[in-house]
Amino acid sequence: MDIWDSWWVLQFMQMLGLLSFWISLPKLRTLFSKAFGFGNKFMKGSSSNVWIFVSISLLLFLSWVYSFVFPSDLSVIQHYDEIIPNTSQSLNHSVEVPNVSHSMNQSFDFEMLKSKVVPMGKCNVFEGSWIHDNSYPLYDASQCPFAERGFNCIANGRRDRGYTKWRWKPKNCDVPRFNARRILEQLRGKRVVFVGDSLSRTQWESLICLLMTGVEDKKSMYEIKGNRITKQIRFLGVRFSTFDLRIDFYRSVFLVRPGSVPKHSPQRIKTTLRLDKIDDISHEWIDSDVLIFNSGHWWTRTKLFDMGWYFQVGNSVKLGMTINSAYNTALHTWASWVENSVNMNRTRVFFRTFESSHWSGKNHNACKVSRNPWKRSNGKERSPISDMINRVVKNMSVPVTVLHVTPMSSYRSDGHVGTWSDNPSVPDCSHWCLPGVPDMWNEILFSYLLPKPL
C-alpha cells in the first residue's frame, strides 16, 4: 500500500496542520487558558510544562473532532461503495463511474453521491407518476388508418387535448423514448402477436400507429387480409413489408375455449366456458417472437351469468363456481399451455394486467371523464384480477414478464373515450382514446425488448 494512503499518515498531517493553526493564535491560547481555570499563581514556575500538557490534550481533542467532521477520502470512497454496490456491473447501463483506485488523483463528482443512480433492469417502471410533456402525442390518429375510429376522440369531437400530453415517469429511472425507426430495425423479420380483448386491440392499434411514424413509404404497410379495423373480426394483422415485420392481433377475450352445453344441463345455461382448455386458435399464436396477453374485462356477471355463460371443467358444469375462482383456473390453464407449447428460446412472453376503468355511480354505470389525471389513485391501483395474474406468473416454470399497468392507469380518468366515440349515445369509461394511455404501455413494453445501452 502507498504510504500516503495510510490512515495514520493522514491523521498526522491533520495534526500538524492544527498545530500550525494553534501556534498562530496566541490570543486563543490565552482564552483557553482562562477557560481551563489556570490562575497566575499556578502558572508560575511550571507554566511551560502545564501549557505543553494542555496544548497536546487540546490538540488531540481537536484532531479527533476534525477527523469526524471531515473524513478522509478513503472513508468517502468506502461510503460510495455502500451506496452503489458492484459498480462494475450495476451501473454499466446508466453512468460512467470514476475509477475508485485512482479517485485520489482525479476530480471526483460528489454530486453523484446525492442522486439515486438505478439501472433500468433494477427499476420498477410501474412505480411513478404522470408528468406533463408537450412533446406528446407521438402520432396523429387521423393520419393512421389502422386506428379505430371509435378510439380517435379528437376526430369524434373532443376539444381538449391535454389528455395526450402526459408521460409516465418512474421514480428511479426513465422509460426510453419511443424511437420508431430503431424499433423497426430491431423487429426486422419478426412477428409480434397480441392476444386478448378489445383493450389488447387498442394496444395493437397504438403500436402500429407508433411504428408507422418511422416508415417512409406508408403504402408498404397493409392489413394482411385487406380487412377494415373493426371490433368483430377475430384476427387482424398488419405487415410492414419493408422490414418483413408482422404485428398481429387475435381476439380471445377469455383465453380459454367456449364449449357446447352438456346434456341435461339447466335451461339457464346457454353455453359454457371450458376452463381447462386453451382457446382453439392458440396454435396460431405460437409462431411468434413477442407474445402479449391480456384478459379481464369480460370476466363479469353481466358478460357471463346474465348472458347464460357458465363454467365447465372436464364434463362437469360448475354452477356454484365464482368468477374469481374461474378466472384463476383459466389462468393456470394458460400458464400450463405457455410452459408446454411456447418455444421460450425464441419467444418473449408478456401478460398485461387489468387496466383500471373509471365508471362511477351506485351501479358503476356513470361515466364522467375528467380534464386532467387524478392526483390520487382512489383505490383503483389494486385489482383482484391483477393480483391473480401476478401470483400465477410468479409460480410459472418459464420466464414471463408482467406488464403491471393497473396502478399507472388508475390515475388516468381523463384518458377514456367517454362520449367521443363512434357511438356517442353509449358512454365508455373502459376504453382509451388514441393517442393516449396505451401508447405508454408500448413504450414500457419496448423498454424490456430493446438492447440496453452500454
Side-chain angles (χ1 to χ4, degrees), residues 2-33:
D2 194 325
I3 188 173
W4 299 109
D5 288 339
S6 169
W7 182 88
W8 289 106
V9 171
L10 290 173
Q11 302 307 312
F12 179 71
M13 295 299 291
Q14 291 170 355
M15 290 176 63
L16 285 180
L18 285 170
L19 181 60
S20 301
F21 173 79
W22 180 258
I23 294 174
S24 65
L25 296 174
K27 291 184 179 181
L28 189 61
R29 287 202 311 271
T30 303
L31 179 63
F32 273 98
S33 176

mmCIF file of all heavy atoms in Angstrom, residues 2-33:
data_model
loop_
_atom_site.group_PDB
_atom_site.id
_atom_site.type_symbol
_atom_site.label_atom_id
_atom_site.label_comp_id
_atom_site.label_asym_id
_atom_site.label_seq_id
_atom_site.Cartn_x
_atom_site.Cartn_y
_atom_site.Cartn_z
ATOM 1 N N ASP A 2 0.477 2.285 -0.738
ATOM 2 C CA ASP A 2 1.187 3.548 -0.781
ATOM 3 C C ASP A 2 1.155 4.180 0.596
ATOM 4 O O ASP A 2 0.124 4.218 1.276
ATOM 5 C CB ASP A 2 0.528 4.483 -1.796
ATOM 6 C CG ASP A 2 1.431 5.675 -2.127
ATOM 7 O OD1 ASP A 2 2.135 6.133 -1.225
ATOM 8 O OD2 ASP A 2 1.381 6.126 -3.288
ATOM 9 N N ILE A 3 2.339 4.721 1.066
ATOM 10 C CA ILE A 3 2.422 5.315 2.392
ATOM 11 C C ILE A 3 1.448 6.461 2.553
ATOM 12 O O ILE A 3 0.905 6.730 3.620
ATOM 13 C CB ILE A 3 3.875 5.779 2.682
ATOM 14 C CG1 ILE A 3 3.963 6.225 4.161
ATOM 15 C CG2 ILE A 3 4.277 6.932 1.759
ATOM 16 C CD1 ILE A 3 5.372 6.537 4.597
ATOM 17 N N TRP A 4 1.150 7.157 1.448
ATOM 18 C CA TRP A 4 0.233 8.304 1.528
ATOM 19 C C TRP A 4 -1.221 7.869 1.649
ATOM 20 O O TRP A 4 -2.100 8.682 1.896
ATOM 21 C CB TRP A 4 0.424 9.205 0.315
ATOM 22 C CG TRP A 4 1.828 9.751 0.256
ATOM 23 C CD1 TRP A 4 2.790 9.405 -0.616
ATOM 24 C CD2 TRP A 4 2.414 10.716 1.141
ATOM 25 N NE1 TRP A 4 3.950 10.082 -0.345
ATOM 26 C CE2 TRP A 4 3.749 10.909 0.725
ATOM 27 C CE3 TRP A 4 1.921 11.436 2.248
ATOM 28 C CZ2 TRP A 4 4.617 11.785 1.367
ATOM 29 C CZ3 TRP A 4 2.780 12.306 2.891
ATOM 30 C CH2 TRP A 4 4.121 12.480 2.456
ATOM 31 N N ASP A 5 -1.495 6.590 1.464
ATOM 32 C CA ASP A 5 -2.852 6.090 1.660
ATOM 33 C C ASP A 5 -3.076 5.619 3.098
ATOM 34 O O ASP A 5 -4.162 5.199 3.445
ATOM 35 C CB ASP A 5 -3.133 4.922 0.707
ATOM 36 C CG ASP A 5 -3.289 5.413 -0.712
ATOM 37 O OD1 ASP A 5 -3.565 6.615 -0.866
ATOM 38 O OD2 ASP A 5 -3.129 4.586 -1.624
ATOM 39 N N SER A 6 -2.015 5.683 3.968
ATOM 40 C CA SER A 6 -2.113 5.219 5.337
ATOM 41 C C SER A 6 -3.006 6.143 6.151
ATOM 42 O O SER A 6 -2.897 7.368 6.098
ATOM 43 C CB SER A 6 -0.721 5.136 5.961
ATOM 44 O OG SER A 6 -0.823 4.930 7.352
ATOM 45 N N TRP A 7 -3.854 5.571 6.988
ATOM 46 C CA TRP A 7 -4.751 6.369 7.823
ATOM 47 C C TRP A 7 -3.957 7.177 8.835
ATOM 48 O O TRP A 7 -4.256 8.337 9.102
ATOM 49 C CB TRP A 7 -5.731 5.428 8.519
ATOM 50 C CG TRP A 7 -6.743 6.161 9.384
ATOM 51 C CD1 TRP A 7 -7.919 6.653 8.993
ATOM 52 C CD2 TRP A 7 -6.630 6.452 10.788
ATOM 53 N NE1 TRP A 7 -8.564 7.256 10.038
ATOM 54 C CE2 TRP A 7 -7.802 7.143 11.173
ATOM 55 C CE3 TRP A 7 -5.650 6.198 11.756
ATOM 56 C CZ2 TRP A 7 -8.018 7.577 12.470
ATOM 57 C CZ3 TRP A 7 -5.871 6.630 13.044
ATOM 58 C CH2 TRP A 7 -7.033 7.321 13.396
ATOM 59 N N TRP A 8 -2.895 6.554 9.412
ATOM 60 C CA TRP A 8 -2.102 7.255 10.436
ATOM 61 C C TRP A 8 -1.352 8.439 9.843
ATOM 62 O O TRP A 8 -1.218 9.497 10.490
ATOM 63 C CB TRP A 8 -1.107 6.285 11.075
ATOM 64 C CG TRP A 8 -1.790 5.283 11.964
ATOM 65 C CD1 TRP A 8 -2.010 3.973 11.712
ATOM 66 C CD2 TRP A 8 -2.391 5.554 13.231
ATOM 67 N NE1 TRP A 8 -2.701 3.395 12.730
ATOM 68 C CE2 TRP A 8 -2.947 4.341 13.716
ATOM 69 C CE3 TRP A 8 -2.496 6.699 14.030
ATOM 70 C CZ2 TRP A 8 -3.596 4.252 14.913
ATOM 71 C CZ3 TRP A 8 -3.151 6.608 15.247
ATOM 72 C CH2 TRP A 8 -3.692 5.402 15.680
ATOM 73 N N VAL A 9 -0.887 8.270 8.609
ATOM 74 C CA VAL A 9 -0.192 9.400 7.976
ATOM 75 C C VAL A 9 -1.147 10.556 7.775
ATOM 76 O O VAL A 9 -0.833 11.724 8.020
ATOM 77 C CB VAL A 9 0.424 8.961 6.625
ATOM 78 C CG1 VAL A 9 0.959 10.173 5.870
ATOM 79 C CG2 VAL A 9 1.545 7.952 6.861
ATOM 80 N N LEU A 10 -2.358 10.253 7.355
ATOM 81 C CA LEU A 10 -3.352 11.305 7.155
ATOM 82 C C LEU A 10 -3.683 12.007 8.464
ATOM 83 O O LEU A 10 -3.808 13.236 8.522
ATOM 84 C CB LEU A 10 -4.617 10.705 6.546
ATOM 85 C CG LEU A 10 -4.520 10.232 5.097
ATOM 86 C CD1 LEU A 10 -5.800 9.491 4.690
ATOM 87 C CD2 LEU A 10 -4.286 11.410 4.170
ATOM 88 N N GLN A 11 -3.818 11.221 9.553
ATOM 89 C CA GLN A 11 -4.095 11.846 10.842
ATOM 90 C C GLN A 11 -2.942 12.722 11.312
ATOM 91 O O GLN A 11 -3.147 13.808 11.873
ATOM 92 C CB GLN A 11 -4.391 10.753 11.899
ATOM 93 C CG GLN A 11 -5.576 9.842 11.543
ATOM 94 C CD GLN A 11 -6.812 10.628 11.217
ATOM 95 O OE1 GLN A 11 -7.186 11.548 11.947
ATOM 96 N NE2 GLN A 11 -7.458 10.297 10.109
ATOM 97 N N PHE A 12 -1.693 12.249 11.078
ATOM 98 C CA PHE A 12 -0.518 13.032 11.480
ATOM 99 C C PHE A 12 -0.460 14.355 10.719
ATOM 100 O O PHE A 12 -0.173 15.412 11.305
ATOM 101 C CB PHE A 12 0.751 12.209 11.216
ATOM 102 C CG PHE A 12 2.028 12.942 11.582
ATOM 103 C CD1 PHE A 12 2.352 13.176 12.921
ATOM 104 C CD2 PHE A 12 2.875 13.416 10.595
ATOM 105 C CE1 PHE A 12 3.520 13.854 13.244
ATOM 106 C CE2 PHE A 12 4.026 14.097 10.924
ATOM 107 C CZ PHE A 12 4.369 14.327 12.245
ATOM 108 N N MET A 13 -0.772 14.293 9.431
ATOM 109 C CA MET A 13 -0.767 15.521 8.633
ATOM 110 C C MET A 13 -1.848 16.483 9.131
ATOM 111 O O MET A 13 -1.656 17.698 9.164
ATOM 112 C CB MET A 13 -1.020 15.181 7.161
ATOM 113 C CG MET A 13 0.083 14.335 6.517
ATOM 114 S SD MET A 13 1.678 15.158 6.512
ATOM 115 C CE MET A 13 1.376 16.484 5.342
ATOM 116 N N GLN A 14 -2.995 15.948 9.507
ATOM 117 C CA GLN A 14 -4.048 16.802 10.036
ATOM 118 C C GLN A 14 -3.597 17.458 11.339
ATOM 119 O O GLN A 14 -3.868 18.641 11.583
ATOM 120 C CB GLN A 14 -5.315 15.973 10.257
ATOM 121 C CG GLN A 14 -5.964 15.503 8.956
ATOM 122 C CD GLN A 14 -7.058 14.491 9.186
ATOM 123 O OE1 GLN A 14 -7.287 14.065 10.312
ATOM 124 N NE2 GLN A 14 -7.733 14.089 8.114
ATOM 125 N N MET A 15 -2.901 16.688 12.202
ATOM 126 C CA MET A 15 -2.452 17.237 13.481
ATOM 127 C C MET A 15 -1.421 18.333 13.283
ATOM 128 O O MET A 15 -1.423 19.357 13.987
ATOM 129 C CB MET A 15 -1.868 16.102 14.346
ATOM 130 C CG MET A 15 -2.940 15.123 14.857
ATOM 131 S SD MET A 15 -2.247 13.722 15.764
ATOM 132 C CE MET A 15 -1.508 14.586 17.146
ATOM 133 N N LEU A 16 -0.525 18.143 12.308
ATOM 134 C CA LEU A 16 0.470 19.180 12.029
ATOM 135 C C LEU A 16 -0.208 20.462 11.582
ATOM 136 O O LEU A 16 0.179 21.576 11.965
ATOM 137 C CB LEU A 16 1.442 18.691 10.955
ATOM 138 C CG LEU A 16 2.490 17.650 11.397
ATOM 139 C CD1 LEU A 16 3.374 17.282 10.219
ATOM 140 C CD2 LEU A 16 3.354 18.219 12.539
ATOM 141 N N GLY A 17 -1.239 20.315 10.736
ATOM 142 C CA GLY A 17 -1.970 21.499 10.283
ATOM 143 C C GLY A 17 -2.640 22.214 11.438
ATOM 144 O O GLY A 17 -2.618 23.441 11.544
ATOM 145 N N LEU A 18 -3.201 21.446 12.351
ATOM 146 C CA LEU A 18 -3.851 22.056 13.510
ATOM 147 C C LEU A 18 -2.851 22.713 14.444
ATOM 148 O O LEU A 18 -3.119 23.752 15.058
ATOM 149 C CB LEU A 18 -4.654 20.991 14.261
ATOM 150 C CG LEU A 18 -5.980 20.557 13.594
ATOM 151 C CD1 LEU A 18 -6.541 19.332 14.295
ATOM 152 C CD2 LEU A 18 -6.971 21.700 13.643
ATOM 153 N N LEU A 19 -1.653 22.109 14.575
ATOM 154 C CA LEU A 19 -0.606 22.691 15.417
ATOM 155 C C LEU A 19 -0.182 24.053 14.898
ATOM 156 O O LEU A 19 -0.014 25.015 15.662
ATOM 157 C CB LEU A 19 0.593 21.740 15.487
ATOM 158 C CG LEU A 19 1.767 22.215 16.365
ATOM 159 C CD1 LEU A 19 1.301 22.400 17.809
ATOM 160 C CD2 LEU A 19 2.904 21.193 16.307
ATOM 161 N N SER A 20 -0.016 24.148 13.582
ATOM 162 C CA SER A 20 0.332 25.436 12.982
ATOM 163 C C SER A 20 -0.751 26.465 13.246
ATOM 164 O O SER A 20 -0.484 27.625 13.559
ATOM 165 C CB SER A 20 0.545 25.273 11.474
ATOM 166 O OG SER A 20 1.560 24.354 11.211
ATOM 167 N N PHE A 21 -1.981 26.037 13.139
ATOM 168 C CA PHE A 21 -3.111 26.941 13.406
ATOM 169 C C PHE A 21 -3.115 27.388 14.860
ATOM 170 O O PHE A 21 -3.363 28.546 15.188
ATOM 171 C CB PHE A 21 -4.416 26.194 13.059
ATOM 172 C CG PHE A 21 -5.675 26.934 13.430
ATOM 173 C CD1 PHE A 21 -6.146 27.956 12.636
ATOM 174 C CD2 PHE A 21 -6.368 26.593 14.584
ATOM 175 C CE1 PHE A 21 -7.296 28.645 12.973
ATOM 176 C CE2 PHE A 21 -7.518 27.258 14.923
ATOM 177 C CZ PHE A 21 -7.988 28.293 14.126
ATOM 178 N N TRP A 22 -2.770 26.439 15.766
ATOM 179 C CA TRP A 22 -2.765 26.722 17.211
ATOM 180 C C TRP A 22 -1.689 27.737 17.571
ATOM 181 O O TRP A 22 -1.936 28.689 18.340
ATOM 182 C CB TRP A 22 -2.563 25.402 17.949
ATOM 183 C CG TRP A 22 -2.527 25.540 19.454
ATOM 184 C CD1 TRP A 22 -1.463 25.526 20.257
ATOM 185 C CD2 TRP A 22 -3.662 25.707 20.288
ATOM 186 N NE1 TRP A 22 -1.830 25.676 21.552
ATOM 187 C CE2 TRP A 22 -3.195 25.790 21.599
ATOM 188 C CE3 TRP A 22 -5.035 25.795 20.045
ATOM 189 C CZ2 TRP A 22 -4.039 25.959 22.686
ATOM 190 C CZ3 TRP A 22 -5.855 25.956 21.129
ATOM 191 C CH2 TRP A 22 -5.370 26.048 22.425
ATOM 192 N N ILE A 23 -0.488 27.572 17.066
ATOM 193 C CA ILE A 23 0.627 28.464 17.412
ATOM 194 C C ILE A 23 0.379 29.857 16.899
ATOM 195 O O ILE A 23 0.779 30.862 17.505
ATOM 196 C CB ILE A 23 1.940 27.889 16.841
ATOM 197 C CG1 ILE A 23 2.266 26.561 17.552
ATOM 198 C CG2 ILE A 23 3.085 28.885 16.985
ATOM 199 C CD1 ILE A 23 3.452 25.838 16.965
ATOM 200 N N SER A 24 -0.333 29.983 15.777
ATOM 201 C CA SER A 24 -0.530 31.289 15.149
ATOM 202 C C SER A 24 -1.594 32.129 15.839
ATOM 203 O O SER A 24 -1.827 33.259 15.467
ATOM 204 C CB SER A 24 -0.923 31.106 13.685
ATOM 205 O OG SER A 24 -2.168 30.465 13.610
ATOM 206 N N LEU A 25 -2.259 31.581 16.849
ATOM 207 C CA LEU A 25 -3.322 32.329 17.511
ATOM 208 C C LEU A 25 -3.056 32.433 19.017
ATOM 209 O O LEU A 25 -3.627 31.702 19.823
ATOM 210 C CB LEU A 25 -4.678 31.665 17.264
ATOM 211 C CG LEU A 25 -5.162 31.634 15.800
ATOM 212 C CD1 LEU A 25 -6.436 30.812 15.686
ATOM 213 C CD2 LEU A 25 -5.400 33.045 15.294
ATOM 214 N N PRO A 26 -2.136 33.319 19.446
ATOM 215 C CA PRO A 26 -1.801 33.438 20.882
ATOM 216 C C PRO A 26 -2.987 33.889 21.711
ATOM 217 O O PRO A 26 -3.137 33.485 22.864
ATOM 218 C CB PRO A 26 -0.684 34.479 20.902
ATOM 219 C CG PRO A 26 -0.841 35.244 19.632
ATOM 220 C CD PRO A 26 -1.347 34.268 18.633
ATOM 221 N N LYS A 27 -3.843 34.732 21.130
ATOM 222 C CA LYS A 27 -4.994 35.194 21.895
ATOM 223 C C LYS A 27 -5.934 34.048 22.194
ATOM 224 O O LYS A 27 -6.551 33.990 23.254
ATOM 225 C CB LYS A 27 -5.735 36.280 21.122
ATOM 226 C CG LYS A 27 -4.945 37.570 21.019
ATOM 227 C CD LYS A 27 -5.778 38.640 20.333
ATOM 228 C CE LYS A 27 -5.007 39.950 20.256
ATOM 229 N NZ LYS A 27 -5.799 41.022 19.605
ATOM 230 N N LEU A 28 -6.016 33.113 21.286
ATOM 231 C CA LEU A 28 -6.874 31.953 21.511
ATOM 232 C C LEU A 28 -6.327 31.080 22.627
ATOM 233 O O LEU A 28 -7.057 30.510 23.410
ATOM 234 C CB LEU A 28 -7.008 31.146 20.214
ATOM 235 C CG LEU A 28 -8.045 30.017 20.220
ATOM 236 C CD1 LEU A 28 -9.440 30.579 20.478
ATOM 237 C CD2 LEU A 28 -8.006 29.271 18.909
ATOM 238 N N ARG A 29 -4.923 31.028 22.725
ATOM 239 C CA ARG A 29 -4.315 30.268 23.810
ATOM 240 C C ARG A 29 -4.684 30.863 25.159
ATOM 241 O O ARG A 29 -5.011 30.159 26.091
ATOM 242 C CB ARG A 29 -2.793 30.256 23.655
ATOM 243 C CG ARG A 29 -2.282 29.369 22.542
ATOM 244 C CD ARG A 29 -0.824 28.973 22.787
ATOM 245 N NE ARG A 29 0.029 30.095 23.104
ATOM 246 C CZ ARG A 29 0.675 30.817 22.176
ATOM 247 N NH1 ARG A 29 0.542 30.522 20.905
ATOM 248 N NH2 ARG A 29 1.438 31.825 22.530
ATOM 249 N N THR A 30 -4.641 32.195 25.223
ATOM 250 C CA THR A 30 -4.969 32.873 26.478
ATOM 251 C C THR A 30 -6.412 32.586 26.882
ATOM 252 O O THR A 30 -6.716 32.335 28.045
ATOM 253 C CB THR A 30 -4.767 34.392 26.324
ATOM 254 O OG1 THR A 30 -3.427 34.628 25.917
ATOM 255 C CG2 THR A 30 -5.042 35.111 27.638
ATOM 256 N N LEU A 31 -7.304 32.627 25.870
ATOM 257 C CA LEU A 31 -8.712 32.360 26.134
ATOM 258 C C LEU A 31 -8.928 30.954 26.682
ATOM 259 O O LEU A 31 -9.645 30.756 27.656
ATOM 260 C CB LEU A 31 -9.518 32.544 24.845
ATOM 261 C CG LEU A 31 -11.027 32.279 24.959
ATOM 262 C CD1 LEU A 31 -11.668 33.264 25.925
ATOM 263 C CD2 LEU A 31 -11.675 32.384 23.589
ATOM 264 N N PHE A 32 -8.294 29.959 26.095
ATOM 265 C CA PHE A 32 -8.443 28.591 26.575
ATOM 266 C C PHE A 32 -7.794 28.407 27.941
ATOM 267 O O PHE A 32 -8.236 27.618 28.748
ATOM 268 C CB PHE A 32 -7.832 27.599 25.569
ATOM 269 C CG PHE A 32 -8.792 27.179 24.507
ATOM 270 C CD1 PHE A 32 -8.782 27.782 23.259
ATOM 271 C CD2 PHE A 32 -9.731 26.199 24.785
ATOM 272 C CE1 PHE A 32 -9.685 27.413 22.293
ATOM 273 C CE2 PHE A 32 -10.627 25.816 23.806
ATOM 274 C CZ PHE A 32 -10.603 26.419 22.566
ATOM 275 N N SER A 33 -6.698 29.161 28.173
ATOM 276 C CA SER A 33 -6.023 29.073 29.472
ATOM 277 C C SER A 33 -6.950 29.518 30.582
ATOM 278 O O SER A 33 -7.086 28.865 31.604
ATOM 279 C CB SER A 33 -4.749 29.920 29.461
ATOM 280 O OG SER A 33 -4.149 29.916 30.735
#
